[in-house]
């Protein structure tokens, strides 16, 4: 027996959003004048184990992977053209993003805090300024009204939930940052320890002898990120606002957790993955674009092949093993997934936390 629920209709929307996120990432970089980097970024995102991990789960993370690059792309189009339709798209994507995953609110705060400066100081910003500012303001007012309509019923629950989580005294620090860094690189933590029965999805266990290559890969990615940041910064204030919306919100999320002693898991900042991949891809291809198409194509192909081979042990394990063994735990204790099974009524199940 099983639960009277068919899983695939629940998983399909998240899967389509994650697939759409790959396309949206490539489109977003194209709007920023980095079409070649967009091709590389789309491939890397499709291969990323963290992307694979949440591409089939009915949770808000998959939708954030789609909506974050859509927001950044629509923002640039709206700021450059001033067309009302693009500003309407910005408003709609903001509402969908904060509705799908409220943890992305910091992205909207940073982007809109810098929007006036970008619209004033960037030479590529649309004119006349009064019209553009009016459309930006109207778009945000409409988005705020729609978001309030959708999210205000949750406010009564948010306060008690934050207080309850803060009371646990969770202290995120260096260990969390190191684990999150590895999740951004390869979609898994560094090491989970040696407890018996622990699902071994960590990098140390799965990569084994390939750890030196992983170290080389980490150095390359950090260098590419730095070059990507420089490249985006050089493009002007419209792109700088998008850059800040990529880099600052994860640290705001971390800072909030430290301030409130609030529990925080690595996926809470997963919304920054599209931006991180975009920065790394744009930085990686930057020097090769100056060398010519042959160099660029060869370097991008090698990067894709190298990353695919490097993370394959993690990807293959995720495909065939559950990371959260809820189904297995229920079967081990109750023998059936069907809540209406008569035998379930004669069983007592106890649970405890460690």
């Amino acid at each position: 027996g099983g639960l009277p629920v068919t899983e695939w209709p629940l998983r399909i929307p998240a899967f389509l959003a994650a697939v759409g996120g790959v396309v949206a990432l490539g489109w977003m970089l194209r709007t920023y004048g980095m079409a070649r980097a967009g091709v590389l970024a789309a491939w890397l995102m499709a291969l990323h184990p963290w992307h694979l991990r949440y591409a089939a789960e009915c949770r808000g993370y998959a939708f954030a992977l789609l909506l974050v690059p859509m927001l950044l792309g629509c923002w640039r189009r709206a700021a450059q053209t001033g067309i009302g339709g693009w500003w309407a798209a910005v408003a709609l994507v903001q509402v969908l993003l904060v509705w799908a995953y409220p943890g992305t609110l910091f992205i909207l705060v940073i982007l809109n805090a810098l929007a006036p400066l970008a619209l004033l100081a960037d030479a590529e910003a649309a004119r006349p300024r009064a019209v553009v500012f009016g459309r930006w303001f109207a778009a945000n007012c409409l988005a705020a009204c729609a978001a309030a309509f959708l999210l205000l019923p949750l406010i009564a629950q948010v306060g008690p939930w934050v207080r309850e989580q803060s009371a646990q005294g969770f202290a995120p620090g260096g260990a969390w940052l190191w684990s999150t860094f590895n999740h951004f690189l390869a979609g898994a933590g560094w090491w989970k320890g040696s407890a018996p029965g622990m699902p071994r999805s960590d990098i140390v266990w799965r990569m084994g002898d390939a750890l030196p290559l992983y170290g080389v890969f980490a150095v390359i990615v950090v260098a590419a990120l730095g070059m990507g940041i420089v490249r985006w910064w050089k493009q002007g204030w419209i792109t700088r606002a998008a850059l800040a919306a990529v880099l600052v919100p994860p640290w705001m999320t971390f800072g909030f957790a430290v301030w409130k002693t609030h529990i925080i898991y690595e996926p809470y900042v997963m919304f920054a993955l599209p931006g991180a991949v975009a920065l790394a891809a744009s930085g990686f291809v930057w020097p090769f674009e100056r060398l010519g198409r042959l160099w660029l194509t060869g370097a991008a192909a090698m990067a894709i092949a190298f990353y695919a081979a490097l993370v394959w042990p993690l990807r293959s394990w995720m495909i065939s093993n559950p990371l959260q063994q809820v189904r297995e735990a229920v079967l081990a204790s109750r023998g059936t997934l069907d809540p209406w099974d008569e035998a379930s009524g004669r069983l007592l199940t106890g649970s405890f936390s460690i």
Side-chain angles (χ1 to χ4, degrees):
L3 288 173
V5 174
T6 304
E7 285 189 16
W8 70 263
L10 301 177
R11 295 181 182 273
I12 282 294
F15 173 74
L16 293 177
V19 173
V22 173
V23 179
L25 183 59
W27 168 78
M28 184 268 287
L29 279 171
R30 187 171 181 270
T31 66
Y32 284 81
M34 302 179 236
R36 297 180 181 89
V39 175
L40 176 60
W43 272 99
L44 295 178
M45 180 63 86
L47 292 169
H48 202 290
W50 216 9
H51 179 269
L52 173 69
R53 163 75 172 84
Y54 289 103
E57 290 197 5
C58 188
R59 304 172 76 172
Y61 304 129
F63 296 93
L65 296 178
L66 166 65
L67 295 170
V68 167
M70 285 185 63
L71 173 61
L72 298 180
C74 290
W75 151 251
R76 182 169 173 85
R77 290 294 193 201
Q80 284 186 322
T81 66
I83 296 174
W86 282 115
W87 285 115
V90 170
L92 176 62
V93 175
Q94 286 187 105
V95 173
L96 294 176
L97 181 59
V98 76
W99 187 31
Y101 181 38
T104 58
L105 179 63
F106 290 135
I107 297 178
L108 310 187
V109 171
I110 294 298
L111 186 61
N112 286 295
L114 292 176
L117 175 61
L119 296 175
L120 279 173
D122 199 309
E124 295 185 356
R127 298 292 185 270
R129 288 192 177 97
V131 174
V132 177
F133 268 89
R135 290 174 178 174
W136 165 73
F137 184 76
N140 280 283
C141 287
L142 291 173
C145 291
F149 177 78
L150 294 171
L151 298 178
L152 275 180
L154 304 179
I155 296 299
Q157 306 171 42
V158 171
W161 178 76
V162 171
R163 290 192 292 270
E164 176 186 349
Q165 295 296 319
S166 299
Q168 300 180 23
F170 188 77
W176 183 87
L177 291 172
W178 174 243
S179 178
T180 303
F181 173 73
N182 285 285
H183 274 80
F184 273 97
L185 289 179
W190 178 250
W191 188 55
K192 285 191 173 183
S194 55
M198 179 73 72
R200 300 316 305 258
S201 59
D202 52 88
I203 291 170
V204 170
W205 184 265
R206 288 292 143 195
M207 289 195 173
D209 295 338
L211 283 178
L213 287 177
Y214 180 74
V216 173
F217 164 70
V219 171
I220 294 173
V221 169
V222 171
L225 279 170
M227 295 179 66
I229 291 172
V230 172
R231 185 177 186 181
W232 282 40
W233 183 265
K234 289 169 66 71
Q235 286 203 356
W237 278 103
I238 293 176
T239 307
R240 289 171 190 173
L243 176 63
V246 169
L247 295 178
V248 178
W251 291 102
M252 295 177 69
T253 304
F254 175 72
F256 178 83
V258 172
W259 174 42
K260 290 291 189 179
T261 63
H262 196 287
I263 192 166
I264 180 173
Y265 297 105
E266 296 87 354
Y268 287 9
V269 296
M270 190 186 182
F271 57 78
L273 182 62
V277 173
L279 284 173
S282 57
F284 180 82
V285 303
W286 197 17
F288 294 103
E289 286 178 336
R290 303 181 182 185
L291 296 176
R293 180 176 297 181
L294 184 61
W295 280 91
L296 175 61
T297 303
M302 289 180 63
I304 293 169
F306 176 78
Y307 187 67
L310 183 68
V311 300
W312 172 246
L314 293 164
R315 285 173 52 84
S316 61
W317 191 90
M318 290 181 183
I319 291 172
S320 55
N321 295 273
L323 290 180
Q324 295 175 315
Q325 297 173 319
V326 177
R327 180 192 298 269
E328 290 74 13
V330 173
L331 288 174
S333 61
R334 304 187 71 84
T336 178
L337 297 175
D338 188 356
W340 309 111
D341 190 285
E342 293 183 1
S344 297
R346 298 190 294 271
L347 294 174
L348 296 177
T349 302
S351 65
F352 59 94
S353 60
I354 298 177

